[in-house]
Amino acid sequence: MPTVVGVGLACLDVLIRLREMPTWEHGGRISAFSFDGGGPVGTALVAVQKLGVQAGYLGTVGTDRVARLKLGFLTEYGVDVSRVAVREGPETQVVIVYVDEDTGERTFAGVWGGGERPQGLQPEELDKDYVLSADYLHLDGMNYEAGMQAARWMKEAGKTVVYDGHKTSADSVPQQVRDAIELVDVLICGEGFGRALTGRSDLYEAGEAALDLGPRIVVQTEGAGGSYTVTRDERFHVPAFQVPVIDTTGAGDVFHGAYIVGLTHGWQLQQVAQFATAVSAIKCTGLGGRAPIPGYEEVMAFLSERGIKIEE
């Protein structure tokens, strides 16, 4: 049974690396192309699995060849998909990812064939025993009602709920996100999320205000600016590692998965953040959100080469 389960989005990414976006008037060339799995929770769980911890995914999948390909990008890394809910028809959770050849930054275009969108995972489709077999639950806000039900079970059992607060430029977050955060133990925010959630621009002040909403650990990731951690007892900054960047797709998702792995080892939070930062950095040196995720020993060697020692 898994140590970590995730309720949320797993999709198929179609990755296109190029220098200039084509237009109707002018075509263009691509320097690289690939398929990979995507989605915040899906990619985080692959990171968990590749780093040596058992993971299980809870979500939905269609019944066509694309759906089988999506599932394959989970199962080939060992993620358990035995509790995935099947939706008859084509897979709609597909994303075209355009990656800037010069910077590694990316932009997305979601694929949906029209018609009625398949129903998301429902609370009654959850296997309670399976959810509670895990010590950690990871949520990204997708499949919302099912995620909330799983979070309530985990909280009642005294287990740990981790939430992915997506990068945002909005001035506030929806009420349902605030409701979810009340059930969260570890909140990992993308750029802008802490400000939108709390109204505070200072990262430490935003983190402290977020603690009042329910979490006991708040981590705010700032891309090349590293991460900022706040708890009731400490606050600290962990800088990003300098690496040759090919593709930043999934970097935050990978950070979340690696952070959970660090928690399973019982390390001090600064070591957990250093570990997650290293995993995310190494991922950015390859194309795709999952294929470049390193294994545990590679991460430890990367840290050791930079004078950082994490006790086993």
Side-chain angles (χ1 to χ4, degrees):
M1 302 298 277
T3 300
V4 183
V5 294
V7 178
L9 178 63
C11 60
L12 176 67
D13 282 353
V14 181
L15 297 132
I16 300 171
R17 188 168 183 255
L18 71 178
R19 179 158 290 161
E20 295 182 355
M21 294 289 285
T23 66
W24 292 115
E25 292 76 23
H26 302 284
R29 68 172 186 87
I30 63 175
S31 59
F33 166 84
S34 183
F35 289 110
D36 203 351
V41 156
T43 299
L45 292 177
V46 169
V48 168
Q49 191 74 40
K50 291 184 79 171
L51 292 166
V53 176
Q54 294 296 311
Y57 172 65
L58 300 169
T60 63
V61 67
T63 55
D64 61 359
R65 288 186 294 175
V66 176
R68 292 193 292 274
L69 188 58
K70 181 181 96 165
L71 279 187
F73 281 116
L74 290 166
T75 58
E76 74 176 64
Y77 298 116
V79 176
D80 180 49
V81 297
S82 62
R83 299 327 195 263
V84 167
V86 177
R87 299 288 184 261
E88 190 67 34
E91 178 60 50
T92 61
Q93 295 169 338
V94 181
V95 177
I96 310 298
V97 185
Y98 298 96
V99 181
D100 189 305
E101 184 178 320
D102 295 323
T103 67
E105 291 300 320
R106 67 279 185 270
T107 188
F108 306 100
V111 175
W112 179 36
E116 184 176 351
R117 189 183 294 270
Q119 185 183 49
L121 185 68
Q122 298 300 297
E124 58 270 21
E125 294 178 295
L126 292 172
D127 180 337
K128 184 177 181 179
D129 289 339
Y130 182 83
V131 172
L132 292 178
S133 71
D135 295 319
Y136 295 84
L137 169 69
H138 187 39
L139 305 174
D140 62 12
M142 308 297 182
N143 293 307
Y144 178 77
E145 295 298 338
M148 290 287 281
Q149 179 61 76
R152 294 186 193 100
W153 288 336
M154 293 292 277
K155 290 293 285 186
E156 290 169 0
K159 299 190 175 185
T160 301
V161 180
V162 183
Y163 190 87
D164 176 352
H166 304 295
K167 177 179 178 179
T168 182
S169 59
D171 294 330
S172 63
V173 300
Q175 184 58 47
Q176 69 174 21
V177 173
R178 294 180 181 276
D179 294 341
I181 289 173
E182 292 180 2
L183 299 171
V184 169
D185 299 289
V186 183
L187 173 61
I188 304 178
C189 310
E191 293 177 64
F193 186 89
R195 175 192 50 76
L197 177 65
T198 67
R200 309 290 181 85
S201 296
D202 180 86
L203 293 174
Y204 287 129
E205 289 182 3
E208 289 173 353
L211 291 175
D212 293 334
L213 303 177
R216 56 183 173 82
I217 301 170
V218 176
V219 183
Q220 297 184 85
T221 59
E222 294 290 310
S227 67
Y228 295 78
T229 298
V230 178
T231 72
R232 294 296 183 192
D233 301 318
E234 60 182 330
R235 56 158 71 178
F236 58 83
H237 171 241
V238 170
F241 294 104
Q242 299 300 310
V243 295
V245 175
I246 298 297
D247 178 16
T248 60
T249 302
D253 309 330
V254 169
F255 181 98
H256 300 162
Y259 197 92
I260 295 171
V261 170
L263 292 176
T264 70
H265 285 280
W267 298 329
Q268 295 179 358
L269 292 184
Q270 189 154 358
Q271 293 179 320
V272 172
Q274 288 172 327
F275 178 80
T277 302
V279 178
S280 183
I282 297 169
K283 186 241 74 73
C284 289
T285 62
L287 184 64
R290 299 181 186 172
I293 298 172
Y296 183 84
E297 296 301 329
E298 182 181 349
V299 181
M300 289 306 193
F302 178 94
L303 288 168
S304 180
E305 290 167 1
R306 288 155 179 79
I308 299 172
K309 177 66 174 177
I310 298 178
E311 296 296 334
E312 298 292 341

